[in-house]
Amino acid sequence: MRSFGLWLGWTGWLAAVWAAALLQFGASAVPRGALGCAAFFACYFASPLAGRRPPALLALLTGALLAAAVALPGAGGAGLLYALLLAAYLAGEAVYRLPGAYAAAFGALAALALTASALPAAADPAQPRYAGFALLFAAAAAAALALYRRERAGNVEGAARFEALLGEYRKLKRQAKSGEDAARAEERTNIARQIHDSVGHKLTSLLMQLEMFRMNASGAQQAQAEQMKRLAQDSLEETRSAVKALQEQEQGGLPALLRLIRNLEAESYLQVEFTVRHGALSAPLGNEPSVAVYRAIQEAMTNAMRHGASRKIGILLESPAGRVFRFEVTNDVGDAEARPVREGFGLTAMRDRVEKAGGELTLMRSGGQFLVRGTFKLEQAKEERAQ
């Protein structure tokens, strides 16, 4: 709305300049001025249709300039002043909307057109001031527009640096958060493993000894042994529940994956196409494979942001026939040539984590796409859950 109001204001100003010029003209010059006004506004209103095509926009601005330079000075030296006002506006449009080479070309054309228009006024001894004013005005306008273009280029460069710094800040923030989460998860896993290996095994051994004692006991001792066995069994179950809770606190699963996608979309303007097929949400994936899937997708999305040719990323989860669980992450790389993938630190760590969890990882670059595919056999997940 603000840009439309600004455009409407400039249109009114241009119309006022032409109206003042036509009112000042003599009767003989009005038809010529009216024709020039019509040609000027035809080019002016057609200029937005050029879009981002510099040659077309340059042609339209040049047409408007020639209409003003030919029609207005012909009415006398005073008409040259109106032509200068219109040429200044057109020069500002050229500087703002055209690349540097095209803007310079338009400036040269404007200088030539106005100089040629000022020659009749310069030859008239009664009107020498108009030619001198035209030259001074053109020089001042050129200096002002050059200064404006330099300041605008500096602002654009500053904005680009700010966006780059903001992107690096967000990246470092994600890396710090990821490292902190990974450290906490590793510590929880170590604690859970120690509890399982020490307390769990000792309670299991105690249960076996209590069972042997109960089988050899009689009377009151057998009832007391049965009570101690139930107490040890409850302690073992609570220990297993605590170990399971510690392991499940590590990030993994669909909720954590959805949070990751939402955060990356909000911070990096990603466009994620998330697809779930063949009952992938109900696949019996164990805790370690689930965490490996999450970490692999996280690393693949980070690589896509850094090296991808676009901001579009595809994520697929599927479980064909309920026998395997597969995830795929694809992104555009802009190179249709199929060639082997060189694995850096991130991809190597991803492969090691997936294979350690019992899966297989495939990296492929073909058809302008980079593909990360991981596959887990669900039989292994079932065995892990049973243990």
Side-chain angles (χ1 to χ4, degrees):
M1 183 62 68
R2 181 181 178 184
S3 60
F4 176 76
L6 186 62
W7 175 84
L8 191 62
W10 278 114
T11 303
W13 181 83
L14 294 173
V17 172
W18 275 102
L22 292 176
L23 289 175
Q24 190 172 346
F25 287 174
S28 60
V30 169
R32 181 178 181 179
L35 182 61
C37 178
F40 177 89
F41 279 104
C43 295
Y44 173 74
F45 287 118
S47 62
L49 301 178
R52 297 184 177 181
R53 291 173 293 178
L57 182 58
L58 177 61
L60 290 173
L61 292 178
T62 303
L65 172 69
L66 294 178
V70 172
L72 295 180
L80 181 61
L81 301 180
Y82 297 108
L84 286 173
L85 292 176
L86 297 175
Y89 172 82
L90 295 175
E93 284 283 321
V95 169
Y96 187 77
R97 298 176 57 186
L98 288 174
Y102 287 92
F106 180 83
L109 290 174
L112 290 175
L114 293 175
T115 301
S117 300
L119 290 178
D124 187 357
Q127 300 179 356
R129 60 188 182 278
Y130 292 121
F133 178 81
L135 295 177
L136 290 176
F137 185 88
L145 291 174
L147 179 61
Y148 165 77
R149 189 173 188 88
R150 188 182 68 178
E151 293 297 324
R152 182 169 174 264
N155 291 336
V156 171
E157 183 180 359
R161 290 180 178 178
F162 172 77
E163 289 296 330
L165 290 175
L166 183 60
E168 288 296 323
Y169 165 74
R170 288 172 174 172
K171 177 183 175 182
L172 292 175
K173 184 178 178 181
R174 287 194 302 268
Q175 289 179 348
K177 182 66 167 58
S178 177
E180 183 180 349
D181 292 341
R184 285 202 301 261
E186 184 177 358
E187 185 63 23
R188 286 194 298 266
T189 302
N190 291 334
I191 294 174
R193 186 180 296 112
Q194 291 175 6
I195 294 176
H196 179 272
D197 294 341
S198 59
V199 181
H201 290 174
K202 290 180 180 180
L203 286 175
T204 302
S205 177
L206 177 60
L207 277 173
M208 295 177 61
Q209 295 181 23
L210 288 173
E211 178 64 17
M212 294 177 59
F213 177 77
R214 186 189 65 82
M215 293 174 60
N216 296 326
S218 60
Q221 290 182 344
Q222 189 175 22
Q224 187 176 8
E226 182 66 28
Q227 183 179 3
M228 288 188 295
K229 178 185 174 183
R230 285 197 301 268
L231 181 60
Q233 184 67 39
D234 293 340
S235 300
L236 181 59
E237 292 297 329
E238 291 179 0
T239 301
R240 287 176 175 174
S241 298
V243 169
K244 185 178 180 181
L246 283 173
Q247 291 177 340
E248 291 179 349
Q249 285 179 4
E250 186 175 4
Q251 283 192 335
L254 183 61
L257 183 59
L258 293 178
R259 286 195 299 270
L260 172 66
I261 294 174
R262 184 175 65 249
N263 292 336
L264 292 180
E265 281 185 330
E267 293 181 359
S268 306
Y269 306 103
L270 292 176
Q271 297 180 9
V272 180
E273 181 180 351
F274 186 53
T275 306
V276 180
R277 296 193 306 211
H278 304 141
L281 299 182
S282 59
L285 198 63
N287 180 67
E288 187 175 0
S290 178
V291 174
V293 169
Y294 172 83
R295 294 300 183 189
I297 293 178
Q298 182 184 40
E299 179 66 23
M301 293 180 68
T302 302
N303 288 338
M305 287 189 298
R306 294 173 55 190
H307 308 294
S310 69
R311 292 290 183 180
K312 295 182 179 180
I313 299 176
I315 299 178
L316 169 66
L317 302 181
E318 61 179 354
S319 179
R323 295 183 178 275
V324 298
F325 178 87
R326 182 182 299 120
F327 71 89
E328 293 183 358
V329 182
T330 57
N331 66 280
D332 296 330
V333 292
D335 186 359
E337 182 181 357
R339 52 183 177 179
V341 178
R342 292 191 305 172
E343 298 186 15
F345 176 79
L347 294 178
T348 302
M350 181 196 304
R351 179 181 296 278
D352 292 343
R353 184 152 197 162
V354 170
E355 292 179 351
K356 183 179 178 181
E360 298 178 356
L361 187 69
T362 302
L363 305 175
M364 186 184 309
R365 182 171 184 169
S366 177
Q369 295 277 323
F370 185 79
L371 170 68
V372 177
R373 176 187 296 147
T375 305
F376 293 87
K377 295 182 180 180
L378 294 182
E379 289 78 7
Q380 295 180 357
K382 293 179 181 178
E383 293 176 2
E384 179 186 348
R385 293 201 325 171
Q387 292 177 357

